[in-house]
Amino acid sequence: MKITIAGAGAMGSRFGLMLHQAGHEVLLVDGWKDHVDAIQKEGLKANYNGEEIVVKLPAVLQSEVTEEMTSDLIILFTKAMQLESMLTDLKPVIHDETKVLCLLNGIGHEEVIEQFVPKEDIFIGNTMWTAGMEGPGRVKLFGSGTVAMKNLVDTPEAKANAEEIVEVLNSGGLNASYSENILFAIYKKACVNGTMNGLCTILMSNMYEFGSTTTAHLIVENIVKEFSEVAKSENILLNVSEIVDFIETNCYNRETIGLHHPSMYQDLIENNRLTEIDYINGAVVRKGQKYGVPTPYCEFLTALVHCKEQILGAK
Ligand code: NAD
Ligand code: AOT
């Protein structure tokens, strides 16, 4: 299949590399000039589970995308705040037959994508794979993960297309599955990001350190309650104690990912970049305002992260 990776940072590079290795025709599209230049000159370099590899992949700057660069499937992997400008630059290659899969963290991205792509061609999901950038043209890819996804519109044709995309992802070893309850899965992952990402960034801690504090449980519970109340207004039922338990069991374990800094910490503290807070906790605040649900914890955390972005002069 011809696949365009739109946003070829850490995660986009992972998916591009794994799908290329499975024999698909992959094009990387990205907005970071130094990164695209490096891939064009020397290939995509990856520390892939401890092994140094170089993969020759075509890469193009998103501002230089032209009509003939069409594909069957576009996988969106920008940061949330870059999504709209990426879709704007991809307009020349979005046709009737183009399927678009969004695997970004956060909630509500379909509302942006719908402005560029017919609903029946949109597929949404999330992923437990991880990845990190080590500099232009270079990524670090460790461990394993899964992908859950579904068609946005419930028609038999869209479902068949979703199942075909699942097969394509699985041909690259991405452990994908069709998830009937995808909005639940997206909210559940957003609860992980809505607690760990902002809190570890403000507190400058890893997840294990935060989880070891006496006040972690109460803070996490209160944030998850707000996600749950907003989700309820969209007929998505999140059981607060189950989700809190899921976060505590998975994120605080120092043998697994507990010593890891969430991506928001890496963006702001390590790389002085703006964060996705407006698309995680900030999205819950906006939805809360719409549905008349108070969200003081999410509002405060969003404001704190913006304070920190400004104090650090993040770009
Ligand atoms: P990323 O920051 O690595 O890449 C996103 C975009 O930012 C790319 O266009 C990339 O080229 C650009 N970029 C990266 N570093 C840059 C720099 N120093 N200067 C200029 N541009 C730079 O993002 P990601 O980690 O691949 O995440 C993509 C989406 O996937 C996000 O929504 C994220 O929350 C989600 N996600 C990430 C992980 C993870 O482990 N990284 C896991 C699950 C979901
Ligand atoms: C994560 N981490 O999504 C990945 O750091 O933004 C992040 C992120 C997989 C499982 C749990 C957390």
Side-chain angles (χ1 to χ4, degrees):
M1 190 179 257
K2 277 179 89 173
I3 301 170
T4 296
I5 305 287
M11 291 298 283
S13 294
R14 173 188 272 292
F15 276 57
L17 187 153
M18 291 173 77
L19 290 165
H20 165 81
Q21 286 184 332
H24 297 286
E25 199 181 318
V26 173
L27 171 68
L28 304 180
V29 176
D30 202 76
W32 185 13
K33 189 169 185 323
D34 290 350
H35 184 50
V36 171
D37 285 349
I39 298 171
Q40 286 174 344
K41 278 198 197 97
E42 298 186 32
L44 175 67
K45 297 180 179 169
N47 180 333
Y48 192 43
N49 295 320
E51 190 192 341
E52 296 295 332
I53 62 169
V54 181
V55 186
K56 276 280 174 197
L57 278 177
V60 64
L61 260 185
Q62 64 189 75
S63 57
E64 291 174 6
V65 165
T66 55
E67 284 184 345
E68 63 274 16
M69 296 176 186
T70 53
S71 62
D72 307 302
L73 172 66
I74 296 174
I75 303 181
L76 297 167
F77 255 136
T78 61
K79 282 279 162 62
M81 48 284 188
Q82 305 161 328
L83 182 60
E84 192 167 348
S85 71
M86 174 60 81
L87 286 161
T88 303
D89 285 334
L90 288 179
K91 265 186 185 172
V93 294
I94 299 176
H95 294 293
D96 290 352
E97 298 297 306
T98 321
K99 312 285 175 277
V100 177
L101 168 64
C102 175
L103 295 175
L104 275 63
N105 277 336
I107 42 182
H109 302 308
E110 56 278 10
E111 288 164 25
V112 176
I113 304 168
E114 278 168 18
Q115 296 167 33
F116 298 86
V117 182
K119 276 186 177 184
E120 55 273 19
D121 291 330
I122 302 176
F123 302 83
I124 54 171
N126 66 13
T127 176
M128 293 295 162
W129 287 95
T130 61
M133 288 291 317
E134 290 199 318
R138 199 178 154 72
V139 290
K140 191 171 179 179
L141 310 175
F142 268 84
S144 186
T146 54
V147 177
M149 58 155 287
K150 184 183 177 293
N151 36 300
L152 188 60
V153 167
D154 279 319
T155 65
E157 199 189 342
K159 184 175 181 183
N161 287 331
E163 285 169 343
E164 191 187 345
I165 296 170
V166 165
E167 269 179 42
V168 168
L169 296 176
N170 282 334
S171 69
L174 283 155
N175 298 330
S177 58
Y178 180 87
S179 168
E180 199 58 63
N181 210 351
I182 195 66
L183 291 174
F184 171 83
I186 288 173
Y187 261 101
K188 185 176 174 183
K189 175 100 197 269
C191 286
V192 175
N193 298 127
T195 51
M196 296 301 106
N197 291 24
L199 292 168
C200 291
T201 301
I202 291 301
L203 298 167
M204 305 216 354
S205 71
N206 62 37
M207 296 188 275
Y208 166 76
E209 287 164 340
F210 168 70
S212 305
T213 66
T214 55
T215 39
H217 180 79
L218 186 66
I219 299 173
V220 167
E221 188 173 52
N222 278 307
I223 293 175
V224 173
K225 270 185 194 159
E226 293 180 5
F227 275 72
S228 166
E229 284 303 308
V230 164
K232 200 193 287 173
S233 304
E234 298 183 342
N235 296 318
I236 300 154
L237 297 183
L238 302 178
N239 180 314
V240 173
S241 61
E242 267 176 36
I243 303 265
V244 171
D245 188 50
F246 174 80
I247 293 169
E248 292 176 343
T249 307
N250 288 287
C251 297
Y252 301 164
N253 184 342
R254 51 181 306 166
E255 310 303 324
T256 54
I257 55 172
L259 301 180
H260 167 84
H261 288 107
S263 59
M264 192 173 290
Y265 177 104
Q266 293 171 34
D267 285 338
L268 183 56
I269 308 299
E270 294 175 1
N271 294 309
N272 210 28
R273 297 175 70 206
L274 293 168
T275 72
E276 294 184 297
I277 195 77
D278 282 337
Y279 305 88
I280 307 172
N281 304 79
V284 168
V285 174
R286 289 192 298 278
K287 283 177 183 279
Q289 284 160 353
K290 181 171 156 193
Y291 302 129
V293 173
T295 57
Y297 272 78
C298 284
E299 208 169 332
F300 187 46
L301 188 53
T302 303
L304 281 178
V305 171
H306 284 316
C307 280
K308 198 156 188 94
E309 288 173 338
Q310 289 166 38
I311 289 165
L312 296 175
K315 296 230 167 44

